[in-house]
Amino acid sequence: MEFNTITDSLKDQLSTLYSSTTMSLWFNQLSIVSLDEKQAVMLAPTEFKKNILEKRYLTVIKEILGEILGFDIEIKLISAESEESLKPAAPVKEEQDEDISAYKLRFNPNYTFENFVVGKSNELAQATSLAVAKRPAELNNPLFLYGPSGLGKTHLLFAIVNEIRKNFKDFQILYVTGEEFTNELIDSLAQKKPVAFREKYRNLDVLLVDDIQFLANKLGIQEEFFHTFDTLYKQNKQIILASDCQPRDINNLEDRLKTRFEMGLVADIQPPDLELRVAIFKRKTVDMGLEIPNDVLIYLAENIKINIRQIEGSLKKLKAHSFISGEAISLEMAKSVLGDFLKSAENSDNIIEKIFNYVTKRYGLSKDALKSQKRSADIAYPRHVAIYLTRQLTSLSQKSIAKIYSRKDHTTVYNSLLVIEKKIRSDVQFEREINQIMEELRG
Ligand code: ADP
Ligand code: MG
């Protein structure tokens, strides 16, 4: 039971770093079989997967598990089959098929309207989503939800899907992310099957596209999406989009798409106020079967402000810690387990500013250069340092850090971490400087 919670947290975190394909290939079937203060033993389904996990993902798993538990831990991987290991091709292919069917609908039964706690900051988004779910294509078409990460956009999209499925059983519904739409389109063009792609997308009753901001700057993809949109819209089919910003703030978005995205209803989600945070904490503790004293609840609600994913993260962390230590959850425990987590979440903007200041001064370059796409060593190196410091001093995911430094994805962040870790190991002087600056920035 408790292992499941920890495994779930691990997978949650991994899914912010990796694509759904990678998740289903390597992580979805991974589980924890034993755990103490020193070591977690994890079970992979095959010897082949175990070896790949060991080679590519052990560091990242170790880092995330350490974060969840609040202390460093060794990972030992075992596999369900120890003998028949040498058949790499088969599992890969099989999983790819699985992934394609997952495109059809990724059904998450927990993302429902019943489980969505409503407050001032999200009531418009919730109410319009519910209206669309009850009466698709009658009101609010398209529905465009936007807001920062971790505030419930994906949850609402799934809630709409779940609700429509109940009442309109024969509806063709498709949920995809902007990234999946893009990849699928590119694949269909490469395989010369654009007709199949169009048929699939243009015969739907409801199309939901999550993280549509992924189409920013991709004019070719936008062109195809425009025709998809228009075809569905003209047939009076429901379209629902979610994004981290308003249509007008999506970079290089064709005007005709901008106009269409704004033509129905645009609803924002804001960070939750104290009242809503308390309500969500209460709700999640009940769902997780946790008993948390009121003073802890208040402490948490006052300190976790930005993001609902952090609310869940903090509870899972407390639950894991209490399970391993055998102690009941108390204010003291919450403070010691979550202290760094809270502090860095709270001050991350502040700290990032300080990191920028330090790095630009120390290496004599501008903030723009740091965020630019230039890769010459005089800029790349200071950027590695800045990224490393951000990772050490905030609780931001590698993906969010990539965004801050205008990098394509988390792999660049991961690469920076490796470069700097290596340098630290080989250069005592540098190690001293980094430690000193981290002390100062932590302030
Ligand atoms: P986004 O797509 O906006 O980044 P998600 O929908 O993935 O955010 O939400 C992050 C997590 O927070 C999910 O586990 C979701 O269930 C939870 N969550 C967000 N908003 C609420 C809410 N109002 N009530 C309950 N849970 C919520
Ligand atoms: Mg989302």
Side-chain angles (χ1 to χ4, degrees):
M1 192 55 205
E2 316 298 343
F3 288 163
N4 284 346
T5 317
I6 298 169
T7 313
D8 285 352
S9 307
L10 174 67
K11 290 179 188 169
D12 279 357
Q13 298 272 353
L14 287 168
S15 70
T16 68
L17 298 177
Y18 297 106
S19 70
S20 55
T21 316
T22 306
M23 286 305 296
S24 68
L25 268 174
W26 308 118
F27 299 122
N28 283 355
Q29 292 160 283
L30 196 62
S31 61
I32 298 179
V33 288
S34 85
L35 180 65
D36 57 34
E37 313 87 68
K38 293 214 182 73
Q39 180 181 272
V41 180
M42 304 192 72
L43 179 71
T46 63
E47 192 66 16
F48 172 68
K49 290 198 179 189
K50 181 200 130 186
N51 291 336
I52 298 283
L53 283 162
E54 248 163 15
K55 229 189 274 155
R56 293 194 208 150
Y57 300 111
L58 204 61
T59 320
V60 108
I61 293 176
K62 189 170 139 67
E63 187 187 343
I64 293 176
L65 259 190
E67 240 171 58
I68 294 169
L69 297 169
F71 49 84
D72 283 339
I73 190 153
E74 292 306 318
I75 311 285
K76 185 181 155 128
L77 279 163
I78 56 172
S79 86
E81 42 151 55
S82 35
E83 288 303 313
E84 45 156 349
S85 58
L86 296 164
K87 43 174 186 178
V92 174
K93 196 156 178 299
E94 178 190 316
E95 304 273 355
Q96 272 171 357
D97 290 340
E98 194 180 300
D99 200 61
I100 291 166
S101 67
Y103 274 131
K104 283 198 194 123
L105 186 62
R106 240 169 288 136
F107 190 74
N108 186 334
N110 294 323
Y111 285 0
T112 59
F113 284 108
E114 292 78 49
N115 290 342
F116 192 81
V117 186
V118 185
K120 279 192 212 75
S121 54
N122 61 19
E123 67 189 355
L124 178 64
Q126 187 269 354
T128 47
S129 297
L130 188 58
V132 159
K134 295 276 185 212
R135 303 170 68 180
E138 283 186 44
L139 313 148
N140 311 331
N141 200 18
L143 173 62
F144 190 100
L145 304 177
Y146 75 93
S149 166
L151 297 184
K153 298 182 297 295
T154 299
H155 186 134
L156 282 175
L157 295 195
F158 276 94
I160 293 173
V161 172
N162 286 327
E163 189 65 31
I164 294 183
R165 284 193 129 198
K166 270 196 271 175
N167 305 322
F168 303 88
K169 293 216 162 45
D170 50 354
F171 264 34
Q172 289 289 330
I173 306 169
L174 181 68
Y175 167 96
V176 280
T177 63
E179 185 173 5
E180 287 161 353
F181 179 87
T182 303
N183 292 340
E184 231 183 303
L185 175 59
I186 292 170
D187 286 350
S188 83
L189 295 175
Q191 295 165 8
K192 303 204 163 48
K193 287 183 187 159
V195 178
F197 177 86
R198 284 184 189 144
E199 252 171 35
K200 170 177 169 182
Y201 275 90
R202 296 183 190 179
N203 289 321
L204 297 167
D205 296 293
V206 182
L207 172 64
L208 306 98
V209 186
D210 204 349
D211 294 318
I212 186 85
Q213 77 276 358
F214 191 81
L215 267 54
N217 303 317
K218 299 184 182 68
L219 296 176
I221 310 294
Q222 288 180 23
E223 162 96 32
E224 183 64 33
F225 188 71
F226 170 78
H227 293 296
T228 306
F229 185 106
D230 236 33
T231 310
L232 291 173
Y233 187 80
K234 283 191 183 126
Q235 298 170 42
N236 199 29
K237 307 298 187 185
Q238 179 72 49
I239 299 160
I240 301 143
L241 308 168
S243 161
D244 66 357
C245 62
Q246 299 193 47
R248 75 172 77 115
D249 294 331
I250 299 178
N251 264 341
N252 261 325
L253 182 68
E254 282 186 30
D255 282 337
R256 56 182 183 171
L257 276 179
K258 224 172 271 182
T259 319
R260 277 168 181 74
F261 289 178
E262 287 173 347
M263 167 165 88
L265 195 122
V266 179
D268 67 331
I269 305 189
Q270 299 284 335
D273 60 13
L274 180 67
E275 200 182 329
L276 180 57
R277 295 199 300 274
V278 171
I280 293 174
F281 266 116
K282 285 215 164 119
R283 180 61 187 265
K284 301 272 171 191
T285 51
V286 173
D287 290 348
M288 289 172 68
L290 277 176
E291 274 185 38
I292 294 201
N294 261 337
D295 56 345
V296 178
L297 216 59
I298 291 164
Y299 169 76
L300 292 173
E302 281 190 332
N303 284 287
I304 296 184
K305 297 184 178 161
I306 307 164
N307 176 320
I308 292 160
R309 203 170 280 128
Q310 289 172 339
I311 292 186
E312 293 178 333
S314 66
L315 290 175
K316 285 175 181 168
K317 214 163 163 166
L318 280 180
K319 182 166 181 175
H321 198 83
S322 147
F323 170 68
I324 290 198
S325 68
E327 288 169 50
I329 296 171
S330 66
L331 186 57
E332 207 181 325
M333 176 200 278
K335 281 183 178 164
S336 93
V337 173
L338 300 174
D340 287 346
F341 176 81
L342 295 181
K343 197 168 156 210
S344 49
E346 188 70 341
N347 295 330
S348 57
D349 284 351
N350 210 338
I351 287 185
I352 288 161
E353 207 45 47
K354 284 193 202 161
I355 293 172
F356 273 129
N357 288 339
Y358 162 75
V359 173
T360 50
K361 231 193 244 154
R362 166 75 176 75
Y363 297 94
L365 41 84
S366 72
K367 201 165 155 176
D368 286 343
L370 212 55
K371 290 189 178 190
S372 71
Q373 299 306 315
K374 292 198 189 103
R375 287 152 159 241
S376 54
D378 55 328
I379 297 176
Y381 189 73
R383 189 185 294 134
H384 290 321
V385 173
I387 288 175
Y388 177 84
L389 290 173
T390 309
R391 182 62 174 165
Q392 298 302 318
L393 297 170
T394 69
S395 63
L396 295 168
S397 68
Q398 297 192 21
K399 205 171 169 183
S400 322
I401 296 176
K403 231 183 227 169
I404 294 171
Y405 292 93
S406 311
R407 300 294 104 187
K408 202 173 89 239
D409 57 29
H410 68 275
T411 48
T412 29
V413 171
Y414 191 60
N415 181 39
S416 296
L417 301 183
L418 294 181
V419 170
I420 298 301
E421 277 168 11
K422 195 166 161 206
K423 174 88 173 155
I424 289 176
R425 280 198 299 272
S426 65
D427 181 341
V428 186
Q429 182 72 30
F430 179 75
E431 181 185 15
R432 211 172 291 145
E433 184 186 334
I434 281 282
N435 285 339
Q436 192 181 339
I437 190 64
M438 285 207 293
E439 278 305 304
E440 276 172 38
L441 293 175
R442 268 201 188 101

